[in-house]
Amino acid sequence: MSVKIQEIPRFIFDELLVLIGEKTKEKLLKLVLQDESDIIENYMRNIMNNIFFNDDDIVDLLEIKSTYHRRRQLTKKNWFKQLKKDVESKQNSSIHEEREVLLKFLESKNADDSFKEMLKSIKDVEGFVQTRLNEIEAWAVDTDTRLTDYPYLDSKQQYQIEKAFENDIVFIIADFLKNAPRNWITHRFKDLIENPIFADGKAKLKGNVLFDSEQKATIIYDDYKLSDNRVLRSFISIEENEEVQIDKMFLLDETDSEILEHIMEHRAERFYTDKTIAFDLRPLLTRIYGNTSQKAYDLITKRLQKIGRFSLEGRTTGPNKETRTTFLYNLFEYVIVSKEDATGRRYAELKFSDTLHQQFITKQTVQIYSHFIHRLENRLSKILIYAFQKERLDAYLQGRNMKKHFEYTFFSDRIRFRSKRIDSNLKQIDASLQEFKEANILINDYKRVGNGFEIILTPVTESEKADFFTGTATPSLIQ
């Protein structure tokens, strides 16, 4: 693999620690790492380096997961057989040792009456032993239980204990990585955050037509008034002899925003060298439409072509009524959707415009972890997440408080609301903020204040500081 272990984003280890769980971490510290909690991340890095990073160009995650799953189930089965054999041979098994400990506790003065009642069953030796055997047999055949869930793990040899933890954690890592995005950190161009590029749902292009002398082309455009002197123009150039159905021209919306995010997740070396991103359409279809039907392919093709044809212009009118263009660019230079004859799979290839690509190269983007976006469902949330992330990162860099009042204009400057009713839009915003809060993504708390919201953003984490501000590359683990 071309990726180095040192380049893995720091937050991945935060996620893995959550998946490993407190119970397994406590056992790991007690039985393997000797209570040095600060080396758990190093322990995981070593496992990943040994198993997932080697001289091969390709790492087969499914093969790793299957191999360690088989090992785990076989070991669990063998451990149960050995325990049952110890019991049948009348040896002093781990179950008998456990029973002795419980009996001593039962007879101690520390056990209250209610607890003594619960433990009476242990006086029945055969019944207690059989109950435990049944429980451990169920553990052994359950495909979801871990090796380190074995209740008598500390009775095993040290090398067996270490292998048990390695097996469980490799399986957890492989399972985590199999659904991972190509790039863990995605980028959103600041111009697409600070302007209401995306509508809060399906909205038609109004269909104003004019001849643009600079482009020497006819354009269909739609103007969105931001304030008395600011206008955002969205437009599509009409090719010569092209038949246009104005009533089927739609503005960019939250689905287009999510498609752009998905595209940025799939950037690879070609994006840096020639502004191009190519990707298999199937994961995008599943993400947007939940299936890979022919209808879904047709819809996504139209979406990509629509995004590719859009251009955006910012206009400001000065005191002397002169209009100044603050920005003007298209999103893509071209979009190609093709079918591979041998496999039947369909792919998209697109080339970003010079302006957007230059913004990426010069770091005029906002970075955010891709998995945050995947956890959101609200249409406004999928757009606002970049705005709130920018606020958090700016507040951190400028040493500002994470508590801030956001007036309605903050939201209307970033989302193209279809409704002119402010109350209706504020209700939409409230629902979005509630989703952020409940999911614990970017927002700790908020409350409505007049025609705005007082919002407490989450502090920037140590992992974000390391991943976003150290200048380290953050490529995919699995190419």
Side-chain angles (χ1 to χ4, degrees):
M1 293 181 66
S2 60
V3 181
K4 297 179 181 178
I5 189 73
Q6 293 84 1
E7 294 176 329
I8 299 174
R10 165 86 177 268
F11 95 95
I12 289 177
F13 297 99
D14 298 339
E15 294 291 302
L16 289 173
L17 283 172
V18 172
L19 292 173
I20 289 169
E22 289 302 319
K23 186 171 79 170
T24 301
K25 283 191 289 183
E26 288 175 8
K27 289 181 182 179
L28 178 63
L29 290 171
K30 178 182 177 182
L31 300 175
V32 178
L33 302 181
Q34 292 140 10
D35 292 326
E36 295 183 49
S37 58
D38 59 328
I39 63 171
I40 290 182
E41 184 176 316
N42 289 335
Y43 172 81
M44 286 194 295
R45 282 183 180 273
N46 288 335
I47 287 180
M48 293 177 79
N49 200 37
N50 293 334
I51 305 299
F52 297 93
F53 293 82
N54 49 49
D55 294 331
D56 297 332
D57 291 331
I58 298 175
V59 172
D60 191 332
L61 286 172
L62 289 178
E63 180 60 29
I64 292 173
K65 184 180 176 183
S66 298
T67 298
Y68 278 80
H69 176 73
R70 289 194 298 269
R71 289 181 188 175
R72 183 171 76 178
Q73 293 307 112
L74 180 60
T75 303
K76 285 159 63 178
K77 182 179 178 181
N78 289 337
W79 284 4
F80 169 69
K81 283 183 176 180
Q82 184 59 52
L83 181 64
K84 188 176 181 182
K85 182 179 178 181
D86 291 344
V87 169
E88 291 172 347
S89 63
K90 307 299 181 182
Q91 291 188 32
N92 188 28
S93 70
S94 297
I95 297 179
H96 290 91
E97 291 177 1
E98 178 192 13
R99 179 177 175 274
E100 289 299 320
V101 171
L102 290 174
L103 275 175
K104 287 180 181 179
F105 179 77
L106 175 65
E107 293 165 355
S108 73
K109 296 178 181 179
N110 295 326
D112 59 29
D113 291 339
S114 61
F115 198 46
K116 286 181 181 180
E117 188 67 29
M118 287 189 296
L119 295 177
K120 279 183 179 178
S121 61
I122 71 168
K123 292 184 177 180
D124 176 7
V125 179
E126 291 186 4
F128 180 83
V129 171
Q130 189 58 50
T131 297
R132 283 290 186 268
L133 282 175
N134 292 342
E135 292 171 351
I136 294 167
E137 183 177 23
W139 160 82
V141 298
D142 189 338
T143 57
D144 293 327
T145 56
R146 300 176 182 179
L147 263 174
T148 51
D149 290 335
Y150 185 59
Y152 311 118
L153 183 64
D154 57 358
S155 69
K156 294 297 179 180
Q157 296 293 321
Q158 186 62 29
Y159 78 91
Q160 292 176 300
I161 295 172
E162 292 174 0
K163 282 293 181 183
F165 278 106
E166 179 184 297
N167 194 300
D168 281 349
I169 290 174
V170 168
F171 185 85
I172 290 168
I173 294 171
D175 191 55
F176 172 72
L177 294 179
K178 69 180 175 60
N179 295 318
R182 184 182 182 91
N183 288 281
W184 298 95
I185 297 172
T186 192
H187 294 248
R188 176 55 58 100
F189 308 102
K190 288 185 178 179
D191 274 350
L192 301 185
I193 298 173
E194 296 172 340
N195 296 285
I197 307 299
F198 303 100
D200 61 337
K202 197 170 184 178
K204 288 183 179 179
L205 200 69
K206 289 181 180 177
N208 300 301
V209 181
L210 61 77
F211 181 79
D212 189 305
S213 57
E214 291 185 10
Q215 295 191 53
K216 296 182 179 179
T218 300
I219 65 170
I220 297 177
Y221 71 93
D222 185 289
D223 285 345
Y224 183 75
K225 190 174 181 180
L226 295 166
S227 60
D228 290 340
N229 66 334
R230 291 174 60 223
V231 171
L232 172 70
R233 172 165 290 183
S234 305
F235 61 91
I236 295 175
S237 297
I238 306 304
E239 296 177 4
E240 190 174 353
N241 299 323
E242 181 180 11
E243 183 179 346
V244 178
Q245 292 178 286
I246 292 177
D247 61 337
K248 292 187 178 181
M249 295 287 184
F250 294 95
L251 295 164
L252 300 177
D253 59 22
E254 83 286 349
T255 301
D256 298 309
S257 173
E258 192 170 5
I259 291 170
L260 275 172
E261 191 275 325
H262 186 90
I263 292 168
M264 287 303 295
E265 278 185 10
H266 286 75
R267 66 190 184 279
E269 189 62 32
R270 283 187 66 191
F271 176 71
Y272 299 90
T273 57
D274 64 8
K275 305 176 290 185
T276 303
I277 296 178
F279 58 96
D280 186 339
L281 279 173
R282 289 176 305 166
L284 177 58
L285 293 174
T286 302
R287 176 175 178 177
I288 300 298
Y289 300 113
N291 65 77
T292 57
S293 65
Q294 181 62 46
K295 182 179 179 181
Y297 276 114
D298 293 342
L299 289 172
I300 210 70
T301 299
K302 289 179 181 178
R303 285 271 184 181
L304 288 169
Q305 290 172 342
K306 178 183 76 171
I307 297 170
R309 296 189 65 183
F310 256 84
S311 295
L312 303 160
E313 181 180 15
R315 292 171 162 234
T316 301
T317 303
N320 56 359
K321 302 297 183 180
E322 291 184 359
T323 300
R324 180 172 63 90
T325 299
T326 54
F327 63 83
L328 173 61
Y329 57 85
N330 58 317
L331 300 181
F332 303 148
E333 288 187 14
Y334 67 76
V335 176
I336 299 173
V337 177
S338 59
K339 184 177 180 180
E340 191 177 71
D341 293 334
T343 64
R345 291 184 181 180
R346 304 194 188 191
Y347 293 85
E349 178 179 299
L350 53 93
K351 188 172 186 178
F352 276 80
S353 67
D354 287 334
T355 302
L356 288 188
H357 188 260
Q358 188 62 24
Q359 284 189 18
F360 184 92
I361 298 301
T362 57
K363 298 184 178 180
Q364 296 179 56
T365 63
V366 170
Q367 299 180 78
I368 191 168
Y369 296 131
S370 297
H371 74 296
F372 281 168
I373 301 162
H374 288 258
R375 287 160 54 188
L376 297 173
E377 296 181 1
N378 183 286
R379 63 176 59 182
L380 261 64
S381 300
K382 293 177 181 181
I383 303 172
L384 286 175
I385 187 169
Y386 303 102
F388 288 135
Q389 178 71 345
K390 183 177 184 300
E391 290 292 319
R392 289 177 69 243
L393 299 182
D394 286 349
Y396 163 70
L397 292 172
Q398 297 165 14
R400 291 191 280 108
N401 196 303
M402 287 295 174
K403 182 177 181 180
K404 181 179 177 181
H405 183 80
F406 294 85
E407 279 293 341
Y408 173 74
T409 52
F410 171 86
F411 301 96
S412 62
D413 280 354
R414 288 158 178 81
I415 294 177
R416 187 173 182 139
F417 289 107
R418 292 172 296 169
S419 173
K420 302 299 182 183
R421 296 176 56 205
I422 293 178
D423 284 346
S424 174
N425 294 336
L426 286 170
K427 287 179 181 178
Q428 281 199 77
I429 296 167
D430 190 284
S432 170
L433 297 178
Q434 186 63 26
E435 180 182 44
F436 281 113
K437 179 182 175 181
E438 290 178 355
N440 194 29
I441 296 175
L442 308 189
I443 292 177
N444 268 338
D445 204 359
Y446 76 96
K447 65 179 179 180
R448 171 84 176 267
V449 179
N451 277 350
F453 296 87
E454 186 179 89
I455 300 174
I456 302 175
L457 299 167
T458 58
V460 174
T461 65
E462 292 302 316
S463 292
E464 287 177 304
K465 294 174 188 176
D467 293 336
F468 300 160
F469 302 116
T470 59
T472 307
T474 53
S476 170
L477 287 177
I478 307 302
Q479 298 293 340

Coordinates of all heavy atoms in Angstrom, one line a residue, residues 391-403 460:
E391 N -17.6 27.8 11.1 CA -17.7 28.6 12.3 C -16.9 28.1 13.5 O -16.2 28.8 14.2 CB -19.2 28.8 12.8 CG -20.0 29.6 11.8 CD -19.7 31.1 11.9 OE1 -19.4 31.6 13.0 OE2 -19.6 31.7 10.8
R392 N -16.9 26.8 13.6 CA -16.1 26.1 14.7 C -14.6 26.3 14.5 O -13.9 26.7 15.4 CB -16.4 24.6 14.8 CG -17.8 24.2 15.3 CD -18.0 22.7 15.2 NE -17.1 22.0 16.2 CZ -16.2 21.2 15.8 NH1 -16.0 20.9 14.5 NH2 -15.5 20.5 16.7
L393 N -14.2 26.0 13.3 CA -12.8 26.1 13.0 C -12.3 27.6 13.1 O -11.2 27.8 13.6 CB -12.5 25.5 11.6 CG -12.8 24.0 11.5 CD1 -12.4 23.5 10.1 CD2 -12.1 23.2 12.5
D394 N -13.1 28.5 12.6 CA -12.7 29.9 12.7 C -12.6 30.4 14.1 O -11.7 31.1 14.5 CB -13.7 30.8 11.9 CG -13.6 30.7 10.4 OD1 -12.6 30.1 10.0 OD2 -14.5 31.2 9.7
A395 N -13.6 29.9 15.0 CA -13.6 30.3 16.4 C -12.4 29.8 17.1 O -11.8 30.5 17.9 CB -14.9 29.8 17.0
Y396 N -12.0 28.5 16.7 CA -10.8 27.9 17.3 C -9.6 28.7 16.9 O -8.7 29.1 17.8 CB -10.7 26.5 16.9 CG -9.3 25.9 17.1 CD1 -8.8 25.7 18.4 CD2 -8.5 25.7 16.1 CE1 -7.6 25.1 18.6 CE2 -7.2 25.1 16.3 CZ -6.7 24.9 17.6 OH -5.5 24.4 17.8
L397 N -9.4 29.0 15.7 CA -8.2 29.7 15.2 C -8.1 31.1 15.7 O -7.0 31.7 15.9 CB -8.2 29.7 13.6 CG -8.0 28.4 13.0 CD1 -8.2 28.5 11.5 CD2 -6.6 27.8 13.3
Q398 N -9.3 31.8 15.9 CA -9.3 33.1 16.4 C -9.4 33.2 17.9 O -9.5 34.4 18.5 CB -10.5 33.9 15.7 CG -10.3 34.0 14.2 CD -11.6 34.4 13.5 OE1 -12.5 34.8 14.2 NE2 -11.6 34.2 12.2
G399 N -9.5 32.1 18.6 CA -9.6 32.1 20.1 C -11.0 32.6 20.6 O -11.0 33.2 21.7
R400 N -12.0 32.5 19.8 CA -13.4 33.0 20.2 C -14.2 31.9 20.9 O -13.9 30.7 20.8 CB -14.1 33.4 18.9 CG -13.6 34.7 18.3 CD -14.6 35.2 17.2 NE -14.5 34.4 16.0 CZ -15.5 33.6 15.5 NH1 -16.5 33.3 16.3 NH2 -15.3 33.0 14.4
N401 N -15.2 32.4 21.6 CA -16.1 31.5 22.3 C -16.9 30.7 21.3 O -17.3 31.2 20.3 CB -17.0 32.3 23.2 CG -17.7 31.5 24.3 OD1 -18.4 30.5 24.0 ND2 -17.5 31.8 25.5
M402 N -17.3 29.5 21.7 CA -18.1 28.6 20.8 C -19.6 28.9 20.9 O -20.4 28.4 20.2 CB -17.8 27.1 21.1 CG -16.5 26.6 20.7 SD -16.3 26.6 18.9 CE -14.6 26.2 18.7
K403 N -19.9 29.9 21.8 CA -21.3 30.3 21.9 C -21.5 31.5 21.1 O -20.8 32.5 21.3 CB -21.6 30.5 23.4 CG -23.1 30.9 23.7 CD -23.3 31.1 25.2 CE -24.8 31.4 25.5 NZ -25.0 31.6 26.9
V460 N -13.5 22.2 19.3 CA -12.6 21.5 18.3 C -11.8 20.5 19.1 O -11.2 20.7 20.1 CB -11.7 22.5 17.5 CG1 -10.7 21.7 16.6 CG2 -12.5 23.5 16.7

